[in-house]
Amino acid sequence: MPRKIFLDCDPGHDDAIAILLALSSPSLSLLGISVVSGNQTLEKTARNALNVTRYLHSDVPIALGASKPLKRSRLNCGEIHGESGLDGFTFPEYDLQYEKRDAVTFLKDTLLSQDKVTVVTTGPMTNLASALLQYPEIIPHIEEIISMGGSTDKGNLTPYAEFNILADAEAAKICFDSKIPMRMVGLNVTRKALVLPEIVERMDKIKTHSSKMFVALMKFFNKTQKEVFGLDGGPLHDPLTIACLLDDKILHFEHMDVDVDISDSITYGQTRCKPNKESYIQVATGIDVNLFFDYIEKALRSC
Ligand code: RIB
Ligand code: CA
C-alpha cells in the first residue's frame, strides 16, 4: 500500500521539486497540500502550489493556511524565489480553485479520516502548530512529522537560524515539543544537495514535461543562490523530506533532543540539537547526494 502523506509547504523553488517528487512516486499517496506564507506571501505560495500540481496533471486539493506567523511579523524571502515566489518558468493559466476548507480544518479532517498519515512540512510550521493546538485529537493519526528546517550547525537567514524556523519559531517549538515521532532535515545535510550546473545539464537531456519545468526553475534558483549566498548551485532543501521516504539510504538520522530557541535574542530560531538515543526526534546527519539526484532523475523521467 502506498504511504499516505500530507504536505504543508511554501512554494518556493525547492518546495516545487518536493511536490514533483511526491506526485511521481507510486510508493506515496499525496492526500492533500496546505500552503503557508514563507518564501513569498500566502497568495503567491498558493498560486505556485496550484500551478505546479496542475502542470503535473494532479488535482490534489490545496488548502490556504496562515498568512503570517503565530506571534512575530511576517517574513518572506523574495530575494531567492523572485517576485512570484516561483520565478523562472511560465505556467499555463489554471483556474485558481482551492480547497474550500482552510488548511487547519482540511488537515484535521484528512488526518481524522485516516489511520496513519505522515505529515511533511517544507515551510514555516504555522499551519501544523495551529492544527495541533486546535485539534489535539489528530495526534494519534500522525505516523510521523518530517520537516525541512533547522540545522545542527549554522543557520542561513541568521548565523543561528534557518529560514523555516526563523519565520515562526513559536510554531516550530509547538511541533518539536509535541512528542510526535519526528525527523528534522536541516541545513547541515541539505546544503550538500546542490543543483550544480552539471546536474541541470544532466536533467536537461531528459526532455520530459517535468524536466522542462525543473530546468527552467533551477536556472533561476541557481542565479539567485549565487547572488545571495555565493553558492555554485541551489540547495534542494525540501525534496529531501520526500526522498528519505523513498529510500532510507539517502539520509542518515540520529536520535537527538532538539530545543527550538524562542528567546527575544540574536539566537531566536536556533535549533539546539543534543544526541539522545531515547528521543522521539531524529535529526539527519548524513546524505548520499548521488543517490538523491538519481531519484530526482527517475522522477523527471516518469512525468
Ligand atoms: O531554509 C530553506 C527553507 O526555507 C526551504 O524550505 C526553502 O523553501 C525556504 O522555505
Ligand atoms: Ca520551503
Side-chain angles (χ1 to χ4, degrees):
M1 286 291 283
R3 183 169 181 151
K4 293 173 181 168
I5 67 171
F6 187 101
L7 175 63
D8 185 72
C9 55
D10 63 335
H13 288 71
D14 52 332
D15 303 75
I17 309 310
I19 292 171
L20 189 160
L21 204 48
L23 288 175
S24 63
S25 307
S27 62
L28 300 176
S29 169
L30 181 56
L31 301 178
I33 290 177
S34 54
V35 288
V36 64
S37 165
N39 284 319
Q40 259 298 355
T41 61
L42 177 67
E43 183 198 357
K44 293 177 179 178
T45 59
R47 186 191 305 120
N48 295 335
L50 190 125
N51 280 344
V52 171
T53 51
R54 284 12 179 202
Y55 179 81
L56 295 171
H57 309 305
S58 163
D59 59 358
V60 62
I62 294 165
L64 304 180
S67 57
K68 66 178 203 51
L70 292 182
K71 287 199 177 135
R72 303 271 173 143
S73 49
R74 183 165 55 86
L75 178 65
N76 293 135
C77 203
E79 62 275 19
I80 293 292
H81 300 274
E83 184 48 35
S84 72
L86 201 57
D87 284 13
F89 183 70
T90 306
F91 291 91
E93 283 294 315
Y94 299 111
D95 285 347
L96 294 182
Q97 296 291 325
Y98 298 115
E99 167 58 39
K100 290 180 185 54
R101 291 165 286 182
D102 65 82
V104 170
T105 308
F106 180 52
L107 174 57
K108 179 261 295 182
D109 290 347
T110 303
L111 292 176
L112 294 184
S113 69
Q114 303 290 335
D115 180 26
K116 289 286 184 190
V117 178
T118 295
V119 178
V120 180
T121 72
T122 61
M125 302 172 81
T126 316
N127 293 336
L128 180 54
S130 301
L132 292 172
L133 289 174
Q134 290 175 46
Y135 302 106
E137 64 270 29
I138 63 175
I139 292 176
H141 297 266
I142 301 176
E143 180 162 14
E144 68 172 318
I145 300 169
I146 303 181
S147 293
M148 192 280 137
S151 175
T152 59
D153 47 42
K154 302 188 304 304
N156 52 5
L157 265 286
T158 78
Y160 306 96
E162 176 278 325
F163 174 80
N164 287 339
I165 309 297
L166 181 71
D168 195 345
E170 284 79 7
K173 186 163 190 61
I174 288 165
C175 297
F176 276 83
D177 290 358
S178 68
K179 299 207 175 358
I180 297 168
M182 183 167 185
R183 284 192 271 182
M184 178 184 113
V185 181
L187 292 174
N188 51 294
V189 293
T190 66
R191 277 193 175 106
K192 295 174 183 167
L194 302 180
V195 191
L196 298 170
E198 53 265 36
I199 294 281
V200 178
E201 281 160 38
R202 168 180 162 187
M203 306 306 174
D204 197 14
K205 293 190 177 100
I206 298 172
K207 305 293 181 208
T208 54
H209 185 66
S210 62
S211 70
K212 197 167 146 227
M213 180 188 80
F214 177 90
V215 168
L217 289 177
M218 290 302 105
K219 282 181 175 171
F220 179 89
F221 192 48
N222 283 356
K223 183 167 126 336
T224 57
Q225 291 279 352
K226 182 83 177 170
E227 287 163 2
V228 175
F229 295 116
L231 295 174
D232 292 333
L236 269 190
H237 307 287
D238 295 337
L240 282 162
T241 60
I242 304 295
C244 71
L245 291 170
L246 305 180
D247 188 328
D248 60 11
K249 295 186 293 304
I250 291 175
L251 290 180
H252 173 75
F253 291 90
E254 291 177 36
H255 288 267
M256 297 193 189
D257 292 328
V258 179
D259 173 36
V260 179
D261 186 321
I262 54 171
S263 66
D264 195 7
S265 74
I266 192 171
T267 54
Y268 175 81
Q270 186 175 37
T271 48
R272 283 186 284 274
C273 303
K274 197 173 83 185
N276 171 9
K277 288 190 174 34
E278 307 303 312
S279 175
Y280 56 91
I281 301 173
Q282 297 181 75
V283 175
T285 54
I287 179 172
D288 183 333
V289 176
N290 293 332
L291 185 58
F292 171 58
F293 280 112
D294 286 349
Y295 274 85
I296 294 290
E297 178 174 355
K298 186 175 163 192
L300 295 177
R301 287 187 182 283
S302 71
C303 55

